[in-house]
Amino acid sequence: MKKSYTQQENKALSTSKRVVILTSFLILLLLVSQSFSASKIHQSYQESLMDSVTDRILSDYQEYFTQLRLEIDLFQQKQLNAIEQLEEKSGQASQQEYMKVLNSLRNDIDNTRLFALIDNKGQGSLKHITGNFLPDCESEIATTIADGVQKKLFLHRSKSSIHFDLLQPLATNSGEGAFFFVAFNPNILINILKKYQLPHQQLFLMRADSPGEIELTTEMDDSKYSELISGGELTSFNFVKAIPNTRWQLAIRLSPRYSSNLYRQGLIKAVLIWLLLTLFIYAFFRQQKHSLRKQLQVEQALAYVDNYDQLTGLANRVNFDRQLFEHIEANRILTHNSINANTIAMNKSGVVMHIDLDKFQVINNSVSYAVGDKFLHQISISLREFLPENAIISRLGNDEFAILLPELLFSEAKSFAHQIRLLIQKIRIVDYQQDTGITASIGVITLDHSIFDAQQVYSSLGQAVNLAKEKGGNRVQVYQSDDEQLVLHAKEMEAVHDVAEALKDNRLLLYRQAIKSLSQQQNSHYEVLIRMRNSQGALVPPIHFIPAAEKYGLIRQVDHWVIEHTFKMLASSPEDTSSYSINLSGVTIADRDIYDHVINLFEQYQIPAERICFEITETSAISHLESALYFMDKMKAFGCKFSLDDFGSGLSSFSYLQKLPVDIIKIDGAFVQDMDTNPINRVFVENIKRTAEAMNKKTIAEFVENADIEVMLREIGIDYGQGYHIHKPEPWYEASQE
């Protein structure tokens, strides 16, 4: 056995070595490939940036020239008299007069060098002040005079400076065909290039009419603007675009060494990472080689402790929960995808049994715990021998077992459970000669389409086992039977599931019903009512899901949903100034955190507290009296009102009424709906009215179903009425409306 184990270990290590070598080689290939891919992606990204940069520079240049021309025209209008005087004096104009206009021009327009007045023959009338034009300037003036507009803007260089000229039509009356000449420093042009320069990019402003001549570039000193490049270099530019109405082309290219450096750095990085990963993998392999056996042993021991019962060797509850959940999920997917889902659910979805030993504690108490443990151990052995191989057996607790039979048909489940019951009844302990008399109550449930989680299975099986014990024990009780208790529990579980799904899928909706003032005073008040849509879209009344939600702990989530969406509706309807009553369950008011939650919602939606009245039932208030008083005192101090719903239905209504700080008493509808034919109920309503009046509380009568009842309530002096005669509940909020 040891030799076989060693051979298997050597074979596994040899295989691991080959895997390590192959993995290392694949990692190298992947890293190199990733390096080249990343370099190409980065270059592609740079090219997309360059395309965007050229468009932005072109736009900025054109905007700049347009703005300059507009500013020149505005300046001429502003200094029209001074310019006309210079034009009239021409050669007799003084330098002082010229400098006055030039200084104003420099103050209004940045980077201005000088200006001149050009007549329709292209001659400057202020040459005695400005000096002669450069040959390039004279050429540009000539073409502008000939064309009537400046079409080909370019830079002009002297020995010590560089500038560009803008010629705008002279604004004076005598200046027809003449131009206002302004020379500008190219600082803005240079700054725009530098502004958009990105790392690893070079930007150029080149002459379109003189290939290879660069006028501005981000790669040159500010003092050097012109250089020539060879025709071969021109092909290295990534983007070249002409600037309209100029003799310029805007060009951009990546730095010549950028691509090669990018590939080289990526490759070096990939090799270094590969070396580090290879060393790490090899070190890890060496470490695993020495600790593999011990680790496997520890893991196996821990896995056994975590998943199996120490006494019986059966799966523990955690293990069984996991496998049951996986089986339910597999059934759900199979049922969802199957055409004939009902057949699969009834025949192949599996069966779960819960075995609870009857009066097992008697053995532990009267004989010994050792005998009890032996009995449990013998049960586990007998079950493993009797059940099929694919059965999953678990010890849930001291004297409880669970069995999952994945392929057992529902039609065979009851008879199979009876065989298990008889098997347990016959078990004997060798060291204990007396008959223990141990029997078992067994609950059975099939995992059909109505089962949605493991907790539902346990709850349903618990109901079945309890019913079997109530009937005397030593029997099998199938959950899917016509027993009234089990049918009721099944309906409750289905309702709980529907509420949970409705909360998750936002299928709850709000109705509202008006509460009418029975006096002459005008009022606008509603009670908020909740409804639910099932998965098929049909409307479900609250009586079909609220009791189950209260019983199984979902009502607090429902109440929170109602409060928040009521506030949300009020905040979204500023034209609605009505007040609203919101029902709260006993579970909700027993939660000490409900006050903070409600206050946060008031602050979030900015709802005035006086518009909200909380309704609590007499029963829930009495059942959670301390919590109810805490919440009511806090909320009343905040500004809310409270009404006591279903008053009169309890045995201690009047005695508790003095303890509860309610503002309104809602008379139980059972006393109102037939008071027109039942004089005793009328007397009861009158007594409640007198009591409420003495305590300075308002009254609301529910179930006002006809006009006669409304008249009687007015005669008695009831303050408000609510019922189908007054107003039928109307839809108010549904998620699909948003």
Short mmCIF file of all heavy atoms in Angstrom, two decimals, residues 56-69:
data_model
loop_
_atom_site.label_atom_id
_atom_site.label_comp_id
_atom_site.label_asym_id
_atom_site.label_seq_id
_atom_site.Cartn_x
_atom_site.Cartn_y
_atom_site.Cartn_z
N ARG A 56 -8.13 70.33 -32.43
CA ARG A 56 -8.28 71.38 -31.42
C ARG A 56 -7.38 72.57 -31.71
O ARG A 56 -7.77 73.73 -31.53
CB ARG A 56 -7.98 70.81 -30.04
CG ARG A 56 -9.03 69.82 -29.54
CD ARG A 56 -8.78 69.44 -28.10
NE ARG A 56 -9.77 68.50 -27.62
CZ ARG A 56 -9.86 68.09 -26.36
NH1 ARG A 56 -8.99 68.53 -25.47
NH2 ARG A 56 -10.80 67.25 -25.99
N ILE A 57 -6.15 72.30 -32.15
CA ILE A 57 -5.23 73.40 -32.46
C ILE A 57 -5.76 74.20 -33.64
O ILE A 57 -5.76 75.44 -33.62
CB ILE A 57 -3.82 72.86 -32.75
CG1 ILE A 57 -3.23 72.22 -31.48
CG2 ILE A 57 -2.90 73.97 -33.23
CD1 ILE A 57 -1.89 71.56 -31.68
N LEU A 58 -6.22 73.50 -34.66
CA LEU A 58 -6.81 74.20 -35.81
C LEU A 58 -7.96 75.09 -35.37
O LEU A 58 -8.07 76.25 -35.79
CB LEU A 58 -7.30 73.19 -36.85
CG LEU A 58 -6.24 72.46 -37.67
CD1 LEU A 58 -6.89 71.41 -38.57
CD2 LEU A 58 -5.46 73.44 -38.52
N SER A 59 -8.79 74.56 -34.52
CA SER A 59 -9.94 75.33 -34.04
C SER A 59 -9.49 76.54 -33.24
O SER A 59 -10.01 77.65 -33.41
CB SER A 59 -10.84 74.43 -33.19
OG SER A 59 -11.89 75.16 -32.61
N ASP A 60 -8.48 76.34 -32.37
CA ASP A 60 -8.00 77.45 -31.55
C ASP A 60 -7.34 78.53 -32.41
O ASP A 60 -7.51 79.73 -32.15
CB ASP A 60 -7.01 76.94 -30.50
CG ASP A 60 -7.70 76.25 -29.33
OD1 ASP A 60 -8.93 76.06 -29.43
OD2 ASP A 60 -7.02 75.89 -28.36
N TYR A 61 -6.55 78.09 -33.43
CA TYR A 61 -5.91 79.07 -34.32
C TYR A 61 -6.95 79.90 -35.06
O TYR A 61 -6.87 81.13 -35.11
CB TYR A 61 -5.02 78.34 -35.32
CG TYR A 61 -3.60 78.09 -34.82
CD1 TYR A 61 -3.25 78.39 -33.51
CD2 TYR A 61 -2.63 77.55 -35.64
CE1 TYR A 61 -1.97 78.16 -33.04
CE2 TYR A 61 -1.33 77.31 -35.18
CZ TYR A 61 -1.01 77.63 -33.87
OH TYR A 61 0.26 77.41 -33.42
N GLN A 62 -7.93 79.23 -35.65
CA GLN A 62 -8.95 79.95 -36.40
C GLN A 62 -9.75 80.89 -35.50
O GLN A 62 -10.07 82.01 -35.87
CB GLN A 62 -9.87 78.96 -37.10
CG GLN A 62 -9.18 78.20 -38.24
CD GLN A 62 -10.11 77.18 -38.88
OE1 GLN A 62 -10.64 76.32 -38.21
NE2 GLN A 62 -10.29 77.30 -40.18
N GLU A 63 -10.04 80.40 -34.30
CA GLU A 63 -10.78 81.25 -33.34
C GLU A 63 -9.93 82.46 -32.95
O GLU A 63 -10.44 83.58 -32.82
CB GLU A 63 -11.14 80.42 -32.11
CG GLU A 63 -11.95 81.19 -31.08
CD GLU A 63 -12.30 80.35 -29.88
OE1 GLU A 63 -12.08 79.12 -29.92
OE2 GLU A 63 -12.78 80.93 -28.88
N TYR A 64 -8.63 82.24 -32.80
CA TYR A 64 -7.73 83.33 -32.40
C TYR A 64 -7.66 84.40 -33.50
O TYR A 64 -7.79 85.60 -33.22
CB TYR A 64 -6.36 82.76 -32.11
CG TYR A 64 -5.29 83.80 -31.85
CD1 TYR A 64 -5.42 84.73 -30.82
CD2 TYR A 64 -4.14 83.85 -32.64
CE1 TYR A 64 -4.44 85.68 -30.59
CE2 TYR A 64 -3.15 84.80 -32.40
CZ TYR A 64 -3.30 85.71 -31.38
OH TYR A 64 -2.34 86.65 -31.15
N PHE A 65 -7.50 83.96 -34.76
CA PHE A 65 -7.41 84.93 -35.86
C PHE A 65 -8.74 85.67 -36.03
O PHE A 65 -8.76 86.88 -36.28
CB PHE A 65 -7.03 84.23 -37.16
CG PHE A 65 -5.63 83.67 -37.15
CD1 PHE A 65 -5.35 82.42 -37.69
CD2 PHE A 65 -4.58 84.39 -36.60
CE1 PHE A 65 -4.08 81.89 -37.67
CE2 PHE A 65 -3.29 83.87 -36.59
CZ PHE A 65 -3.04 82.61 -37.12
N THR A 66 -9.84 84.96 -35.91
CA THR A 66 -11.15 85.60 -36.03
C THR A 66 -11.34 86.64 -34.94
O THR A 66 -11.83 87.75 -35.18
CB THR A 66 -12.28 84.55 -35.93
OG1 THR A 66 -12.11 83.59 -36.97
CG2 THR A 66 -13.65 85.20 -36.07
N GLN A 67 -10.92 86.31 -33.71
CA GLN A 67 -11.04 87.23 -32.59
C GLN A 67 -10.16 88.46 -32.81
O GLN A 67 -10.57 89.60 -32.52
CB GLN A 67 -10.65 86.52 -31.29
CG GLN A 67 -10.76 87.37 -30.03
CD GLN A 67 -12.18 87.76 -29.71
OE1 GLN A 67 -13.11 87.06 -30.10
NE2 GLN A 67 -12.36 88.88 -29.04
N LEU A 68 -8.93 88.24 -33.33
CA LEU A 68 -8.03 89.38 -33.59
C LEU A 68 -8.64 90.34 -34.61
O LEU A 68 -8.60 91.56 -34.42
CB LEU A 68 -6.68 88.87 -34.09
CG LEU A 68 -5.70 88.34 -33.03
CD1 LEU A 68 -4.40 87.91 -33.69
CD2 LEU A 68 -5.43 89.38 -31.96
N ARG A 69 -9.20 89.80 -35.66
CA ARG A 69 -9.78 90.66 -36.70
C ARG A 69 -10.97 91.46 -36.13
O ARG A 69 -11.15 92.64 -36.44
CB ARG A 69 -10.23 89.83 -37.89
CG ARG A 69 -9.05 89.22 -38.66
CD ARG A 69 -9.49 88.52 -39.94
NE ARG A 69 -8.37 87.88 -40.61
CZ ARG A 69 -7.49 88.52 -41.38
NH1 ARG A 69 -7.61 89.83 -41.58
NH2 ARG A 69 -6.50 87.86 -41.96
#
